[in-house]
C-alpha cells in the first residue's frame, strides 16, 4: 500500500501573480481624487472602457472624464487598451491593486498619506452604503457571505502590525487563486467581484497625540 503522504495533492490551488503598483508621492497625489479613484476602480472591476462610457456612469461630461483619464495615464495607473473600434480611445487599468505603505515621517508625506486615505474612505463608505441598500435583494447565499463586523482586541503595536499583515496575506492569497478582475464573469457566471475592506486602527482617543499637537 502506498503512503498517502507521498501522493501529490489531489487538487493544487491555482495561483497567479497579482499585478500591483506602489505609487511614489507625486503619483499618489494625482490619485488622491475621488473621481480618479472611482474611475480606476471601474476599469479594474469591469474592464476597458472609453471616456464617454465612464462619463455616463459617473454623471460627468466627457471633457472632465478625459482630463482625469489623462492624469491616471500620466502616472501609470491606466493604459490604452487595444480595441476593434478606431473611433474611440479605450482605457484599461494597468494593475489590479494599489499598495500605499503607511508614512513613517511627519510633514508633507504624512499629509499626502492622510489625503489619499480620506479620498479612499469616502469612496468605500459610499460603496458600503450602496451594498446595505441592496442587501435585502441579494440571493440568500450572498447574504450569508456578507459581513459587517467590528472586533476590538487589546494588543501592542507590534502585535497589531503582525495581525494586519496576516489578514492582508490571507486576502492576497485568495486574490491570487481567483481569476483576474475584469475577466471573472466571462470564466464563470457564478463569480462576481467580492469587496473586502480592511480597516485596522487604535481605538480613537486612547493614544496620546504627538508632541506639539492639541488633543
Amino acid at each position: 500500500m502506498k503512503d498517502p503522504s507521498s501522493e501529490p495533492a489531489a487538487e493544487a490551488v491555482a495561483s497567479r501573480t497579482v499585478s500591483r503598483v506602489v505609487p511614489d508621492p507625486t503619483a499618489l497625489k494625482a490619485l488622491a481624487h475621488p473621481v480618479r479613484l472611482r474611475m480606476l476602480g471601474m476599469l479594474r472591476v469591469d474592464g476597458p472602457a472609453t471616456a464617454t462610457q465612464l462619463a455616463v456612469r459617473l454623471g460627468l461630461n466627457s471633457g472632465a472624464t478625459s482630463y482625469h483619464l489623462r492624469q491616471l495615464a500620466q502616472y501609470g495607473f491606466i493604459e490604452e487598451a487595444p480595441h476593434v473600434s478606431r473611433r474611440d480611445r479605450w482605457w484599461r487599468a494597468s494593475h489590479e491593486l494599489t499598495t500605499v505603505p503607511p508614512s513613517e515621517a511627519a510633514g508633507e508625506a504624512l499629509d499626502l498619506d492622510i489625503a489619499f486615505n480620506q479620498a479612499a474612505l469616502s469612496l468605500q463608505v459610499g460603496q458600503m452604503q450602496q451594498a446595505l441598500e441592496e442587501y435585502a435583494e441579494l440571493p440568500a447565499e450572498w447574504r450569508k457571505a456578507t459581513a459587517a463586523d467590528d472586533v476590538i482586541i487589546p494588543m501592542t503595536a507590534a502585535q497589531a502590525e503582525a495581525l494586519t499583515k496576516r489578514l492582508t496575506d490571507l486576502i492576497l492569497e485568495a486574490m491570487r487563486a481567483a481569476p483576474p478582475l475584469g475577466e471573472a464573469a466571462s470564466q464563470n457566471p457564478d463569480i462576481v467581484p467580492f469587496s473586502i475592506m480592511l480597516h485596522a486602527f487604535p481605538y480613537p482617543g486612547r493614544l496620546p497625540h504627538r508632541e506639539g499637537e492639541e488633543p
Side-chain angles (χ1 to χ4, degrees), residues 128-144 146:
M128 292 169 66
Q129 182 62 48
Q130 184 177 353
L132 180 60
E133 292 168 0
E134 297 175 359
Y135 179 77
E137 306 302 323
L138 290 178
E141 62 268 26
W142 282 109
R143 290 200 302 273
K144 290 169 63 177
T146 302

Side-chain angles (χ1 to χ4, degrees), residues 37-114:
L37 281 174
R38 287 185 66 192
M39 282 184 179
L40 182 57
M42 288 176 176
L43 292 174
R44 284 177 173 173
V45 172
D46 299 318
T50 67
T52 301
Q53 291 170 337
L54 291 172
V56 171
R57 295 171 63 184
L58 291 165
L60 299 173
N61 63 65
S62 57
T65 306
S66 295
Y67 170 74
H68 290 303
L69 286 169
R70 288 195 299 270
Q71 291 295 303
L72 290 171
Q74 179 179 345
Y75 294 102
F77 295 108
I78 65 173
E79 59 194 13
E80 284 196 62
H83 202 269
V84 292
S85 172
R86 295 183 179 180
R87 295 181 55 188
D88 298 309
R89 198 175 188 182
W90 288 75
W91 297 96
R92 65 184 177 191
S94 301
H95 315 86
E96 289 184 78
L97 199 62
T98 302
T99 300
V100 181
S103 175
E104 298 182 4
E108 185 178 355
L110 181 57
D111 292 341
L112 182 56
D113 193 5
I114 293 172

Side-chain angles (χ1 to χ4, degrees), residues 4 7 30 36 93 112 117 143 161-162 177 188 195 198 201:
E7 294 289 329
R36 290 173 202 160
L112 182 56
N117 280 288
R143 290 200 302 273
E161 182 182 359
N188 185 338
S195 182
L198 176 59
F201 47 85

Side-chain angles (χ1 to χ4, degrees), residues 150-154 203:
D150 70 286
V151 180
I152 303 170
I153 309 170
Y203 194 85

